[in-house]
Amino acid sequence: MDLRYWQSFLKDKVTEYLKNGFLVSLQAPTGSGKTLFSILVSFQVKPKVLYVVRTHNEFYPVYREIRKLNKTYSFIIGKSSACPFVSGDVDPEDIKCSSCEIYNSAKITVDESPFAFIKKIKKDGVEKGYCPYYSLLGSIEDSDLVLITYPYLFLPYLRESLDINIEDFAVIIDEAHNLDYLNDLQERKLNQNIIQLAKNKVKNSEVIKILDKLEVEIRKSVFSDDKYILMDNYPKLTEDELDILKDEYELEREEAVKQKKISRIYLGNILKFYTSLSEAKVFSYKGSLVSKPLTSRDMLSILNANTSFILMSGTLPPIEYMKKIMGIERRMIYIDVEKEVKSKITGNYTCMIATDVTSSYSLRTTEMWKKYASYILKIYHLAEKHILAVFPSYMIMEKIMNLIEVRKFVEKDKTNIEEIMEKTKQGKTIIAGVARGKLTEGVELTMEGKSLISDVILAGIPYPSVDDFLKLKAEQIRKITGENLIDLLISVPAYISVKQAIGRAIRSPEDKANVWLLDKRFDNIMWKTKLRCYNPRKVKL
């Protein structure tokens, strides 16, 4: 197999580190070939590979590479995606498998792409009487490479469901810049809408009475602010009330399987919120009560196990962050591919810094938003292709994009990539999204492997909000490390978000893009160094 120069140059070095018990952190830009590289070196170390991605959408590139290597593969998706009786967005715990008539597995061999294969076995499972989910679990034993998503590695109960000895595998974790947000997997939310949807399915008057009371108390207690506010006093349920809700929930689960029509059971959301409280703080956030752990350290402790791990990303956090914030204690080698080979291995970009605008909190005015809108319109008319505009928050995005009347697509809570593709077919489009949102992490607008985005706009610096959640997280980490690391918790997520946004326009070695840094705070040595914008052009309206 023909390898790129950097792959040949680093292959033996990375293999040796893995064999000697190091965790390898590999930073390589998008389109550089790190997926194939990581698989090749992993098979040099162990006979089986576990490839871990954030979402199901990231399965296909791995499938494409594994086909080149004459290796067998399988994949695991959640019950809600595998069950043939599910409709819509369902929590896996809503599915009562033990009551299902096809609750048994069949021996299967995965011989197609993941999405084509799951479509086939969902149909076959109903016709032949086997469960696609448990059959996929059974296929792990005979597969050289197994594709899973984050929950199946980092949530202990799901990892145990794989029934494997993880030390028998080399483990590749892709998009590893997301690992500090694993605590989002354990986030539980409660709001008036969830309670109302739960009531719509309930006929038991006692349950309705409990939910009516809870809805009134929630309405009185939450705030609409777009930041986390610690809640010491929030609506509680008694043990008796929880038992009544549990009984009703079990009846709904049983009936859904019996009818072979499984949809989300919102009573489950309420129960999970209240059963999560022993391990999490409770906050108000955008009209909801939210509970989640302050850090991801407990889930990330698996990385300290005696297993061969490769963490990969185009924008890895620095090693200090990985050790002190994420809690990685084992021996680790940090390899930045472009520094190792002393050359660029993917496309390039030109930086411009606007020195007359800022999203700094004290200077957020109507006039500032108008100035940002003028910049974005000017860039739109100059751009050759589509424009990705990234904002620090939904509020700022709304204020600015409401002033812009050209063709645009503005990210919403339920935005999907298909909607963007349809919009951009109409002509040059401003694609507006928030930092750390769906568009800056997932959008892949390409044709024949090359990016269709020519310009990236950073409309302000996406520093995380210094709210109650961040302060409590910093305090918990201070108790563990003895250091005040709040500056690290603010700066690292911000520059990773900026680099991720830029990466949307650089999808191949041939891509070139214009990067517009619209905030005067970018004009300092730290930002120029982190973004490798050593000689940016300064602009003003």
Side-chain angles (χ1 to χ4, degrees), residues 319-489:
I319 197 163
E320 179 188 19
Y321 194 95
M322 296 170 81
K323 288 182 174 180
K324 294 179 178 179
I325 305 296
M326 295 164 60
I328 300 175
E329 299 168 351
R330 64 185 291 180
R331 291 186 301 168
M332 174 168 41
I333 184 70
Y334 194 103
I335 296 175
D336 184 324
V337 170
E338 291 189 332
K339 286 183 178 178
E340 292 285 331
V341 298
K342 297 180 173 61
S343 67
K344 292 284 291 181
I345 60 172
T346 190
N348 215 333
Y349 55 88
T350 302
C351 296
M352 277 68 66
I353 296 179
T355 57
D356 55 348
V357 286
T358 181
S359 64
S360 181
Y361 189 81
S362 61
L363 296 173
R364 294 179 180 180
T365 63
T366 301
E367 289 307 309
M368 185 64 73
W369 305 144
K370 288 179 179 177
K371 212 166 188 179
Y372 268 111
S374 296
Y375 263 115
I376 293 170
L377 279 170
K378 185 175 181 180
I379 294 164
Y380 172 81
H381 291 297
L382 290 171
E384 293 181 10
K385 304 177 189 175
H386 302 301
I387 303 95
L388 176 64
V390 179
F391 300 84
S393 70
Y394 281 101
M395 183 276 290
I396 293 176
M397 178 172 69
E398 184 179 327
K399 294 279 188 185
I400 295 171
M401 291 307 296
N402 281 346
L403 301 171
I404 293 172
E405 298 299 331
V406 298
R407 188 180 294 107
K408 61 186 177 181
F409 182 94
V410 180
E411 178 182 349
K412 297 180 176 62
D413 283 346
K414 295 187 177 180
T415 289
N416 61 59
I417 302 303
E418 288 74 22
E419 292 177 280
I420 303 169
M421 298 298 287
E422 284 302 312
K423 186 71 174 181
T424 54
K425 286 177 184 176
Q426 299 170 20
K428 186 165 65 174
T429 304
I430 298 172
I431 303 163
V434 294
R436 294 176 291 277
K438 291 181 181 179
L439 301 189
T440 54
E441 288 283 339
V443 67
E444 178 106 9
L445 280 179
T446 59
M447 181 178 289
E448 297 178 354
K450 295 182 181 179
S451 178
L452 294 176
I453 295 171
S454 63
D455 291 71
V456 176
I457 299 169
L458 278 303
I461 299 182
Y463 288 120
S465 177
V466 185
D467 55 18
D468 288 347
F469 182 86
L470 188 66
K471 291 173 185 175
L472 286 167
K473 179 176 181 175
E475 176 59 21
Q476 186 174 99
I477 291 169
R478 186 194 64 77
K479 289 177 180 177
I480 296 168
T481 65
E483 297 181 62
N484 183 354
L485 299 171
I486 193 163
D487 288 345
L488 208 59
L489 287 167

Side-chain angles (χ1 to χ4, degrees), residues 27-55:
Q27 177 159 289
T30 301
S32 61
K34 60 181 177 289
T35 300
L36 177 61
F37 175 81
S38 65
I39 294 171
L40 286 172
V41 297
S42 293
F43 277 123
Q44 294 289 314
V45 178
K46 292 288 176 75
K48 294 173 79 73
V49 174
L50 200 62
Y51 201 109
V52 190
V53 297
R54 195 169 60 93
T55 68

Side-chain angles (χ1 to χ4, degrees), residues 206-395:
E206 203 170 5
V207 173
I208 292 172
K209 184 178 178 181
I210 294 168
L211 296 180
D212 281 340
K213 182 191 76 168
L214 184 59
E215 186 176 8
V216 171
E217 292 175 349
I218 292 282
R219 187 186 306 123
K220 291 178 181 177
S221 62
V222 296
F223 304 96
S224 61
D225 302 56
D226 187 6
K227 63 179 180 180
Y228 287 94
I229 300 169
L230 182 64
M231 301 288 287
D232 291 321
N233 295 310
Y234 54 88
K236 311 287 197 307
L237 292 178
T238 66
E239 287 298 321
D240 287 344
E241 288 172 328
L242 286 170
D243 286 341
I244 291 168
L245 296 187
K246 285 175 188 174
D247 289 343
E248 180 68 18
Y249 178 58
E250 287 304 317
L251 288 173
E252 288 193 32
R253 291 177 74 217
E254 191 78 43
E255 183 63 20
V257 172
K258 182 180 176 182
Q259 297 294 329
K260 299 180 184 177
K261 292 181 180 178
I262 303 171
S263 57
R264 180 174 285 273
I265 303 173
Y266 287 92
L267 270 180
N269 293 64
I270 298 168
L271 288 167
K272 283 200 293 186
F273 175 82
Y274 281 103
T275 54
S276 72
L277 300 184
S278 61
E279 301 175 2
K281 298 284 186 181
V282 176
F283 302 87
S284 170
Y285 180 70
K286 293 174 71 173
S288 296
L289 288 179
V290 176
S291 77
K292 65 177 176 179
L294 293 173
T295 77
S296 302
R297 291 173 71 101
D298 285 348
M299 283 177 279
L300 287 168
S301 63
I302 184 66
L303 299 180
N304 293 317
N306 184 28
T307 301
S308 300
F309 282 105
I310 299 177
L311 308 187
M312 296 197 311
S313 174
T315 55
L316 280 175
I319 197 163
E320 179 188 19
Y321 194 95
M322 296 170 81
K323 288 182 174 180
K324 294 179 178 179
I325 305 296
M326 295 164 60
I328 300 175
E329 299 168 351
R330 64 185 291 180
R331 291 186 301 168
M332 174 168 41
I333 184 70
Y334 194 103
I335 296 175
D336 184 324
V337 170
E338 291 189 332
K339 286 183 178 178
E340 292 285 331
V341 298
K342 297 180 173 61
S343 67
K344 292 284 291 181
I345 60 172
T346 190
N348 215 333
Y349 55 88
T350 302
C351 296
M352 277 68 66
I353 296 179
T355 57
D356 55 348
V357 286
T358 181
S359 64
S360 181
Y361 189 81
S362 61
L363 296 173
R364 294 179 180 180
T365 63
T366 301
E367 289 307 309
M368 185 64 73
W369 305 144
K370 288 179 179 177
K371 212 166 188 179
Y372 268 111
S374 296
Y375 263 115
I376 293 170
L377 279 170
K378 185 175 181 180
I379 294 164
Y380 172 81
H381 291 297
L382 290 171
E384 293 181 10
K385 304 177 189 175
H386 302 301
I387 303 95
L388 176 64
V390 179
F391 300 84
S393 70
Y394 281 101
M395 183 276 290

Side-chain angles (χ1 to χ4, degrees), residues 147-170:
L147 272 163
I148 61 172
T149 51
Y150 285 0
Y152 281 89
L153 178 65
F154 294 110
L155 295 179
Y157 76 97
L158 285 177
R159 185 167 66 244
E160 289 166 12
S161 74
L162 300 178
D163 194 25
I164 61 172
N165 180 0
I166 199 167
E167 293 182 12
D168 294 338
F169 290 75

